[in-house]
Amino acid sequence: MSIFTPTNQIRLTNVAVVRMKKGGKRFEIACYKNKVVNWRAGAEKELDEVLQTHSVFVNVSKGQVAKKDDLTKSFGTDDLTAICKEILAKGELQVSDKERHSQLETMFRDIATIVAEKCVNPETKRPYTVNLIEGAMKDIHYSVKPNKSSKQQALEVIRQLKESMEIQRAHMRLRFVLPAKEAKRLKEKLKPLLQVVESEDFDEQLEMVCLVDPGCFREIDELIRCETRGRGSLEVLSLKDVEEGDEKF
Amino acid sequence: MGLSSLDKIIALQRNPANIRNLCILAHVDHGKTTLADCLVATNGIISSRLAGKLRYLDSREDEQIRGITMKSSAISLHYRNGDQEYLLNLIDSPGHVDFSSEVSTAVRLCDGAIVVVDAVEGVCPQTQAVLRQAWLENIRPVLVINKIDRLIVELKLTSQEAYAHLQKILEQVNAVTGTLFTSKVLKERAEEDEEEEEKKKDSKTLSGDQVYDWSARLEEADDSQLYFSPDQGNVVFASATDGWGFSIQQFAQIYSQKMGIKAEVLLKTLWGDFYLNAKAKKIMKGAQAKGKKQLFVQLVLDNIWSLYDAVVTRRDKEKVEKVVTSLGVKLLARDLRHSDPKVLLSAICSQWLPVSQAVLLMVCEKLPSPLEIAAARVEKLMSVGARRFDSLPEQTQELKRAFLQCSSGANDPLIVFVSKMFAVDTKALPQNRQRPLTHEEMAQRRDLARQRHADSRAADHKGPTHSERTPQEGPPCNVLDCSVYRGPPEEEEEHQTFIAFARVFSGVAKKGQRVFVLGPKYDPAQALSMVNPGVSASGCVSEVPHLSCCTMESLYLLMGRELEELEEVPVGNVLGIGGLEVSVLKSATLSTSPACPPFIPLNFEATPIVRVAIEPKHPSEMPKLVRGMRLLNQADPCAEVLIQETGEHVLVTAGEVHLQRCLDDLRDRFAKIEISASKPIIPFRETVVRPPKVDMVNEDLGKQHKIAIIHQVKEGRSSATLHVDSGGLVTLTTPNRLATVSIRAMPLPQEVTSLLERSAELIRTLEQINMSLREGKSLDISHRTLEAIIGLKTQLEILLQGRKWRNAVDRVWAFGPRRIGPNILLNSVEGYQRPSVWQCLGRVVKAGEAGAQVIRDLDNSIVSGFQLATLAGPMCEEPLMGVCFSVEKWDIQSPASPQHQDSLEEDSIAHGTLEDSKVEGSSETLEEGATAGPIQARRRPEAASADCYGPVSGQLIAAMKEACRHAFQAQPQRLMVAMYTCEIMATADVLGRVYGVLGKREGRVLHEEMKEGTDMFIIKAVLPVAESFGFADEFRKKTSGLASPQLVFSHWEVISSDPYWVPTTEEEYLHFGEKADSANQSLKYMNAVRRRKGLYVEEKIVEHAEKQRTLGKNK
C-alpha cells in the first residue's frame, strides 16, 4: 500500500498510560505494556525498561506534554525522572493483558493450593494433590474473581467441588472439658456441630475428643465460652486430621 | 510330529526323569521368542512356516506392536527322541533391562537355561546380566549362537572369518562365566580366610603353609564343567529365522559315515585348530599356523555358505537343485517357485538342519531333569536371610531329601514356589469356556481350524502384516470356541483373575488342596515350636507369624496364551494356580508342611527407580484408580505402588519401557479409566544457617558487611507493630497492642537436627505424656520409654554445647511442626519458669520442684503459633528444619494503652478473654490478671468477641507465627533438598560417562571402588531428589546400559547457595555483574515450588519491554 514516509511525529504505539491527579491537574506518563506491575512489585529495577520516555504528559494519546509551571506547582520539582517515579508509584494504572493473565493464573493456583491444603478425600483421609484440584476446578468451569481474596474463593470452590467429587474439609481434632453441671445441656447443643466423637469420658467433668468441621470452630468456641462462663476449656489437638506417612500397597 | 494331547502331557508329567524345565535368556532382540516359536512349532501348535514370525508367546498387543517381549510366559512341549519321550516346560523371558524382574521369576522355576547370543552383536549387557542370574540361581546354561545368517548375508564374511568371529564370541561368553566363577571363588576364599583367621586366633599356632596365592586356589577349583564349548555339546549354532541350527555332534555323525573317521575323533577335532590333511587322510593340529582351513570351516561352514550363496545371493536354480538332491531334501514346487529366496531357504534348511531338533536334543541331553537338582541349590533356596542351612531345624533339613528325590508319593510334603502372579481375563479361563466336546473332538476340530488358519496365513504370508497379528484372531482354540461360547454376564467381563506362576518342587499339587502360605519372614523353627509338626493346613493356624492358609482352587497347565485345567500336578512341573490372589501378593512359598522354610527372595537385577505420580483425568474416578493400582501391584513383580503423605499416588517402575507398560495396563485392564502421569512433587525444607564469613568470590567479609548482607532483604519491613533489630531479634505486637513477643531464630547443629528426626516417635510419646501431666492425670510410663527419653535428653545436652546453648535443653518449650519435628522452641523469657518438656523426668527425679513452675495463660497460643510457623516457612511454604526459635520476651501489656480511649471497656475485654482461655489447672495468671479478680471476670464475656481483632488467643497465634517468620527471615536463609544415595555398578569403559551424567545433575561422588575379581566399579554418589526425574533413563542411554543406578533416599542437605543472593561487594560485582543472573540452584528450586503453589514469584512478565510486539492484535 503505502511507502513508509518518515514523519516528525513520534507515535507511541501500544502504550500503557499511568495517570495521576495532583494539584487539580491530571498528569500522565507513557509506559511499556506489561511492565508497570513488575515495577511496583520490585521485580523490575530498570526505569528505562518501564518508561517509554522520561516526559510527563497532560494527554499521552494527543501528545500534549505537561507544562513546566504546572509540574513545579504540583510536584514541587521539575525533575522529570523524579516526577515519573512518583506517578509510577502512586498513579492509577491500566493492567495489561499479560499482567492480568499471570495474575489470574497465580490466583487460580493459589486457590487450588488452599483447597488442597484444607481438604481430604473422605475415603482415604489423605489430601488431594494440587494438580487434581486444578483439574477439577477447570471441570466445573470455575472462574477466578480478581477482587475477592483467594481464601474466600477457596471456600466457595470447596462447596462447588463437593457436588462433583468426593471431597471434604479436613476435620479438626478438638478436645474439650466441660464442668459436670452444664455438661449434659451443653452436649445436646454441641451435638449437631460435631462430626465424629472419638472418646468421651464422664467422671467429675465431661471430657470429649472429637472431630469437627473447621467452619464450626468459632461457633463451638463461643458456645463453650458463653455457656460455661470460662470454666469449660477447649483445646485444638490437631488442625488437620489426615493420614500421616506413606502407605505401600 | 502331531499335536500332543493334554492326556499325553499329563502322562508325561508323572515321570520327572524326562521333564526339562528351561527358560530362554538373552539380550533384547537376540532372538529368544523366535527360537521359542521354532520349538513351539514342533508340537504343531503353530505352523512351522510361521515360526519366527508369529512370536506366539508374545500374547500382549503391545508386545506384538513393539516387537519386544514384556513378560515371561510358559508353554509345555512334548518331544520324542528315539524311544524317549520328554516333556519340556519352556519359559520365554524378556530381554529388555526394564523387565529383568520377569527374568528372575522365570529363572527361579527352571533347572536349565538356553542362553541366546546374537552372532553379530556378541555379548551384550543383558547377556552378562542373564548369565549372572543363571549363575546365582545355580541353574545350568546351554548356549545358542543365533543369527549366523547375518554373518553371511549382512556382514558378508567368508566362512574363515566367520569361524574366527564365532570363536571370539564363544570366548567372550566364557570370559563372563569365568569372571563369575573367579568372583565366587574369591568370595569363598575370603570367607574361609576369615574363618581361618579366627581359628588362628584361637589356637595361636603359626604355620608357614597357610600362605597361598589366589591363583593356586583358582586352579584348584574345578571349572571345566562351566564353560561353553561345541565339543562338549552345549553349544548350538543357529539361525532361528531361517529355521536351521546344528550342534557339531550332528555333523560328526554325518561325516563319520561319509569319511570313515570315528565319530569320537571328529567330535573332538571338529571345533578347534585342526585341519584335514587330504593326502594323509589324517586330521592334524595347527591349521592356523599352516594357513589351512579348519575342520569346522571346511566341513560345516563351507556347506552352509555355499547353500546361502546358491539360494540367496546368486539364486542359481540348477545349483539349488543339486544341493537339494545331495541333501536328500524334498521341496514343494510352491516353495521353489516363490519369489522370496528366504522361503526356499527356510524350506531347505528346516528339513536339512531343523533348529528345533538341534536345540531340543541338546536340552534333553545337557540340561538336568528335576531329579538332578543340585543339593547346593536346594540348600541355597531354603536358607533364607543369610542363615546357614545347617542351622535350620531338623525337620526342615529332612525336607531336603524330599527335594532331591523329587518324590511324588502321597505322603511327601508338597512344596510349591510361586514366582509371580499374572492377570488373565476371567472369561479366558478354561472353566468359563463351555466345553461340550471331548478332547479328541476338540483336537480334531482344532486341527481343522488351524489348517484353515495356517493356509490363509501362508497365502498372504510374505506381506509385512505378520507382526500385526493381534490377539483377536488369537489362538485357534478361541476361533473354535466362539461358536459355542455364549459369554458370561457383562459385569464379569471387567473382572481379572490372578493366576500364580509356580513350580512344584516336591509332592503332588492337587486341586482344592489346602496349603500353608509362607511369608518371606516366616521362621520354621519358631513355628514348629508353636504348633504340632503334624498339623495340616486344613486346620488353619493364625497365631504363627507370617503363616497363612489358602486353597488351591484350580490348577492349570500353561500353554502360552492358553490355559488347560488340570486335576493334579506332580513334582517337577511348572503350573498355574488359581485362587491365591487373596493370600499371595507377588511371590510366595506354598507347602503342606509347616517345617518348610520360605525360599530366598527373588534376586532382582534391576530395582524400581523411575517414580511418577499418577492421577485420574476425572477426579471422581479416584476409587477406580486405587483399585487398579492395587491390581497392578499384584500383577507386576517389579512395580511398586504407594500413596504418599501429600496424597499423591506414586508408581515406581524399573524403567521407561516398564513404566509405559504399567500405564497401559492400568488404562486398559486394571483401572479402565483415563489417567495422567506426571513428575512427582518434590519435597523441600527451609532452614537458616550461620552468617557466612566469606562472600561469593571467597573474599573475607568484614563485620559490617555481614550485617549488610543479612539485612538487605528486609529493608522497609519494619512497621508500627514490627521491629527488627540488628542482632536478628524480632519484636512483634498483636493488632490490639496488648501482647508483644520477641523472637530470635538460630540454626541448630546438624547432629541435633538428625537426632530429632530420628527420635520423632519418642518425642510423640513424650508429648502425650506431657499432655496428660498437664491435666494432672498420671500416666504409667514404662521404664524403657523413660530411659529412652533420658537418653535423648543427655544426647541433646552433649550436642548443644557452648555459650549460646547454655541450659538450652532444660528450656525446650516445644518441638515442631506437628509437635514432633526437627525444630525447637526455646523459652528464654526472663522470669517465666515454665515446666519444660522433660517434666515427666522431673516428676521422677525431683517431684517437689515441679509444683513451683506454672504455665502462663495463652501458653498454648505461643506453641500453636510456633507449630504453624514451622509447618510452612516464608521461602516457599515448605516445612522448616533445624531451626531454633528462642522467645526472649513475652509481655502482655497493661490494657490501658494510650491508643485506646475506652480503657475500662478494653480492660474488661482483656481480662475476660484471659479468664476465658485460661488453661485448666493453672492457678496463677499474670500480674494484671491476678488483680483483675473474679468481679471483672464475671462481666459479660461476650465482650471479647466484640473486639474487632477477634479473641486474644487467636491474635497471639497469628502474632507468634508472623514473628517466627520474620525472625527466620532475619537470618541467612537456605533451602534444603532431599538427597538420594545412588549406587552404581559400571564397567570401566563407561566410568567417564557415569561421572558426566552425575555432574550434570548436581550429583556428588562419594567413593568408588573396584569389585574384586571383575572389571566392575561400584560408585557411591549422592544426588538431589529434584534432579532424579529421568535420571535412570539418561543413565542407561549414556552408558549403553552398562551401568545401572539404584536410588535410595538418604538425608536432607542444605544447598549452600543463598536464594536471595545479590552481589554486594565490589569483587562480587566484578565477578558476577550487576544482575547476577548466573544460575542459582536454590533460587531455581524455590521459584519452581512457589510457582507450583501459586505464590508470588519475583519475575518479570516480559524481559525486554522494547521487544514486545508493538502491533495491534489483529495485524
Side-chain angles (χ1 to χ4, degrees), chain B residues 38-344:
Chain B
C38 294
L39 304 187
V40 170
T42 60
N43 269 25
I45 295 169
I46 58 168
S47 152
S48 52
R49 282 170 180 281
L50 292 181
K53 288 143 196 138
L54 194 58
R55 288 182 285 127
Y56 180 72
L57 291 177
D58 286 355
S59 50
R60 293 170 53 101
E61 198 176 342
D62 47 356
E63 284 181 324
Q64 289 284 349
I65 292 168
R66 279 187 177 240
I68 60 168
T69 312
M70 293 186 181
K71 54 160 191 3
S72 48
S73 47
I75 190 162
S76 294
L77 299 174
H78 162 240
Y79 171 65
R80 185 195 297 271
N81 178 28
D83 52 346
Q84 289 280 7
E85 291 199 53
Y86 290 96
L87 176 71
L88 303 172
N89 292 318
L90 178 75
I91 304 177
D92 183 28
S93 71
H96 196 280
V97 214
D98 284 7
F99 304 108
S100 60
S101 61
E102 294 277 346
V103 178
S104 316
T105 62
V107 166
R108 171 59 63 87
L109 304 184
C110 295
D111 302 307
I114 303 177
V115 177
V116 182
V117 177
D118 188 319
V120 177
E121 289 173 24
V123 173
C124 290
Q126 275 305 296
T127 317
Q128 294 179 9
V130 296
L131 279 169
R132 189 160 55 236
Q133 264 175 331
W135 174 266
L136 289 174
E137 286 282 347
N138 279 4
I139 69 169
R140 200 180 296 163
V142 291
L143 187 68
V144 171
I145 298 183
N146 196 14
K147 303 197 184 179
I148 293 188
D149 58 312
R150 286 181 69 192
L151 295 181
I152 309 170
V153 182
E154 280 176 31
L155 299 189
K156 302 207 171 10
L157 298 182
T158 64
S159 52
Q160 191 86 41
E161 287 162 343
Y163 173 73
H165 189 80
L166 290 175
Q167 223 172 6
K168 214 166 70 195
I169 287 169
L170 208 58
E171 271 166 25
Q172 284 173 354
V173 178
N174 282 334
V176 176
T177 320
T179 329
L180 292 170
F181 179 71
T182 42
S183 63
K184 182 191 153 209
V185 170
L186 285 179
K187 204 174 133 199
E188 274 173 9
R189 184 185 152 239
E191 277 167 16
E192 271 172 43
D193 278 358
E194 255 171 48
E195 275 168 31
E196 227 139 274
E197 281 293 310
E198 276 169 30
K199 269 187 213 160
K200 260 191 216 168
K201 271 181 208 157
D202 293 340
S203 57
K204 295 246 173 200
T205 50
L206 281 168
S207 47
D209 54 66
Q210 290 284 355
V211 190
Y212 34 60
D213 59 339
W214 64 281
S215 59
R217 176 62 70 88
L218 266 183
E219 276 156 25
E220 264 169 50
D222 177 39
D223 59 348
S224 59
Q225 285 297 311
L226 292 169
Y227 296 119
F228 299 104
S229 162
D231 52 345
Q232 293 226 5
N234 56 7
V235 180
V236 161
F237 303 92
S239 164
T241 40
D242 289 345
W244 59 264
F246 61 88
S247 60
I248 59 170
Q249 273 88 339
Q250 286 171 301
F251 275 97
Q253 263 163 16
I254 295 169
Y255 284 108
S256 68
Q257 289 163 5
K258 260 192 193 170
M259 305 189 340
I261 304 172
K262 269 193 204 159
E264 293 86 66
V265 179
L266 263 179
L267 202 58
K268 276 190 191 137
T269 53
L270 207 46
W271 182 262
D273 198 18
F274 299 98
Y275 71 100
L276 186 69
N277 192 333
K279 278 180 198 160
K281 290 240 169 194
K282 262 186 184 168
I283 295 170
M284 318 272 275
K285 220 180 165 191
Q288 210 170 8
K290 289 176 187 151
K292 303 265 185 181
K293 271 189 182 173
Q294 283 89 346
L295 209 52
F296 186 73
V297 177
Q298 193 182 358
L299 299 183
V300 183
L301 290 184
D302 276 352
N303 287 327
I304 295 168
W305 254 249
S306 62
L307 178 69
Y308 267 85
D309 185 51
V311 180
V312 183
T313 324
R314 279 200 278 155
R315 303 199 183 186
D316 188 341
K317 279 242 169 90
E318 282 164 36
K319 198 164 178 210
V320 170
E321 264 165 43
K322 230 164 73 190
V323 172
V324 167
T325 43
S326 74
L327 289 175
V329 173
K330 284 192 188 95
L331 285 179
L332 295 172
R334 190 180 60 194
D335 288 333
L336 275 171
R337 269 184 277 122
H338 211 288
S339 57
D340 187 1
K342 282 272 177 186
V343 177
L344 179 61

Side-chain angles (χ1 to χ4, degrees), chain A residues 14 32-35 38 41 43-44 49 99 106 109 113 126-127 129 131 175 225 245-247 249, chain B residues 615 633 641-645 647-648 775 916 1091-1094 1096 1100-1103 1105-1106 1108-1109:
Chain A
N14 278 14
Y32 288 106
K33 284 201 163 175
N34 304 319
K35 275 292 180 188
N38 275 170
E44 179 60 72
E49 285 282 303
E99 285 168 344
T106 315
R109 284 258 166 81
T113 312
R126 285 179 180 279
T129 56
N131 266 341
R175 201 185 61 126
R225 233 172 341 123
D246 296 354
E247 180 195 329
F249 282 157
Chain B
E615 275 168 11
N633 186 41
V641 172
L642 46 112
I643 306 179
Q644 285 195 319
E645 203 172 323
E648 281 178 303
E775 284 151 29
D916 291 337
R1091 209 167 295 133
R1092 193 188 76 213
K1093 292 189 173 173
Y1096 173 70
K1100 297 167 193 169
I1101 299 167
V1102 265
E1103 191 62 37
E1106 276 286 9
Q1108 296 183 80
R1109 244 168 87 93

Side-chain angles (χ1 to χ4, degrees), chain B residues 915-1028:
Chain B
E915 207 63 36
D916 291 337
S917 40
K918 194 158 84 180
V919 182
E920 258 269 324
S922 70
S923 56
E924 203 184 82
T925 48
L926 272 181
E927 47 280 8
E928 285 88 8
T931 56
I935 306 150
Q936 275 176 325
R938 230 174 276 142
R939 288 192 183 192
R940 306 236 7 107
E942 292 97 282
S945 51
D947 189 339
C948 67
Y949 300 112
V952 178
S953 60
Q955 280 184 44
L956 196 59
I957 292 178
M960 178 66 190
K961 180 187 166 198
E962 276 312 300
C964 284
R965 285 176 82 116
H966 286 299
F968 182 88
Q969 282 172 313
Q971 303 293 329
Q973 312 162 60
R974 292 292 183 274
L975 212 56
M976 287 178 100
V977 283
M979 299 296 272
Y980 278 134
T981 48
C982 169
E983 237 176 68
I984 305 157
M985 285 249 279
T987 52
D989 42 338
V990 293
L991 213 54
R993 275 170 281 175
V994 167
Y995 275 75
V997 177
L998 279 176
K1000 196 175 140 199
R1001 290 179 175 262
E1002 317 271 353
R1004 206 171 64 234
V1005 175
L1006 297 181
H1007 61 84
E1008 128 190 352
E1009 64 184 30
M1010 198 161 178
K1011 202 177 172 191
E1012 216 176 329
T1014 63
D1015 64 340
M1016 299 292 263
F1017 280 86
I1018 299 174
I1019 301 152
K1020 213 172 167 193
V1022 286
L1023 179 87
V1025 174
E1027 302 284 343
S1028 67

Side-chain angles (χ1 to χ4, degrees), chain B residues 1082-1100:
Chain B
S1082 50
L1083 182 67
K1084 194 180 79 190
Y1085 291 152
M1086 189 179 85
N1087 280 347
V1089 175
R1090 293 193 73 107
R1091 209 167 295 133
R1092 193 188 76 213
K1093 292 189 173 173
L1095 301 169
Y1096 173 70
V1097 181
E1098 191 174 303
E1099 254 182 355
K1100 297 167 193 169

Side-chain angles (χ1 to χ4, degrees), chain B residues 473-487:
Chain B
E473 40 186 330
C477 194
N478 272 2
V479 178
L480 177 79
D481 280 345
C482 286
S483 53
V484 288
Y485 180 67
R486 281 193 210 112

Side-chain angles (χ1 to χ4, degrees), chain B residues 330-447:
Chain B
K330 284 192 188 95
L331 285 179
L332 295 172
R334 190 180 60 194
D335 288 333
L336 275 171
R337 269 184 277 122
H338 211 288
S339 57
D340 187 1
K342 282 272 177 186
V343 177
L344 179 61
L345 184 74
S346 61
I348 299 172
C349 291
S350 56
Q351 288 186 57
W352 178 37
L353 296 167
V355 62
S356 50
Q357 273 297 326
V359 172
L360 292 178
L361 196 70
M362 171 171 74
V363 163
C364 294
E365 281 177 3
K366 293 295 166 191
L367 292 185
S369 74
L371 278 179
E372 299 162 44
I373 188 166
R377 186 176 173 209
V378 176
E379 285 187 14
K380 198 171 161 192
L381 282 179
M382 293 173 88
S383 41
V384 70
R387 277 178 69 170
R388 298 289 288 253
F389 183 73
D390 329 329
S391 67
L392 289 167
E394 214 166 286
Q395 281 153 313
T396 310
Q397 296 199 28
E398 267 173 36
L399 284 175
K400 186 180 159 191
R401 187 192 49 82
F403 246 105
L404 291 174
Q405 285 181 351
C406 255
S407 41
S408 55
N411 295 328
D412 288 305
L414 170 73
I415 301 171
V416 173
F417 184 76
V418 177
S419 74
K420 71 163 179 173
M421 302 290 281
F422 63 95
V424 286
D425 272 334
T426 306
K427 60 176 182 182
L429 291 180
Q431 61 258 49
N432 292 349
R433 294 188 213 138
Q434 286 204 350
R435 261 213 182 160
L437 307 171
T438 63
H439 285 302
E440 284 74 25
E441 283 171 312
M442 287 283 290
Q444 213 177 358
R445 287 178 65 168
R446 202 182 294 161
D447 267 344

